[in-house]
Amino acid sequence: MVDIDWDALRVAANEAMQKSYSPYSKFPVGAAALVSDGRIISGCNVENASYGVGLCAECALVSALHMSGGGELVAFTCVDGHGNILMPCGRCRQLLNEFSAEGMLLETVSGIKTMDEVLPDAFGPRQLAEYAQAD
Ligand code: THU
């Protein structure tokens, strides 16, 4: 596993958080990740007057991943409006899992954890491939 510069990821997440559009919840969020090719990507939450259609910061992050060349997520962090580590919501863990490198690490409120630890027994592309093989 590569050496991960968590400070650099946190800086990128905080910069993204400053761009948050969260007039309804007033809860800005920024997320950043290290990609398998070494680049750092980020995203912020973007809310909507129709509250339910607001986008989490992780949605923007996975779009940024795909738009900037794809690849796999190696390490991830997420911060709230005070710069404190924020645990990605359940839906966002699923979003991140889709693009996770084997052994992906996340900075969480209870320390560095693997994707497997924060989304055990996940249903993702690897599982779909296994099901297809079993047919
Ligand atoms: N939010 C995120 O952006 N990511 C998460 O993982 C948790 C929640 C956002 C959604 C909403 O704009 C605000 O935080 C309050 O829930």
Side-chain angles (χ1 to χ4, degrees):
M1 183 58 75
V2 290
D3 240 4
I4 291 152
D5 187 347
W6 290 104
D7 289 341
L9 280 186
R10 235 172 287 119
V11 167
N14 272 283
E15 282 173 5
M17 179 272 289
Q18 306 283 344
K19 296 179 182 160
S20 160
Y21 175 73
S22 43
Y24 306 108
S25 72
K26 301 192 174 15
F27 193 88
V29 178
L34 173 66
V35 184
S36 40
D37 65 2
R39 72 191 196 276
I40 288 179
I41 51 161
S42 60
C44 66
N45 56 334
V46 179
E47 297 184 347
N48 192 281
S50 177
Y51 300 163
V53 301
L55 303 173
C56 281
E58 294 87 340
C59 298
L61 182 136
V62 297
S63 289
L65 171 71
H66 214 62
M67 285 294 293
S68 63
E72 292 186 325
L73 301 172
V74 172
F76 170 89
T77 195
C78 186
V79 296
D80 67 13
H82 303 291
N84 295 321
I85 300 302
L86 186 73
M87 198 66 200
C89 73
R91 178 177 183 272
C92 287
R93 294 179 207 184
Q94 178 73 20
L95 276 181
L96 296 169
N97 180 65
E98 180 77 17
F99 302 104
S100 61
E102 201 85 50
M104 177 188 170
L105 297 175
L106 299 92
E107 191 172 39
T108 80
V109 290
S110 45
I112 307 291
K113 299 221 161 144
T114 64
M115 176 52 85
D116 289 344
E117 286 173 311
V118 303
L119 193 68
D121 299 324
F123 181 81
R126 289 186 269 273
Q127 286 67 38
L128 262 187
E130 281 170 23
Y131 281 112
Q133 209 136 45
D135 277 345

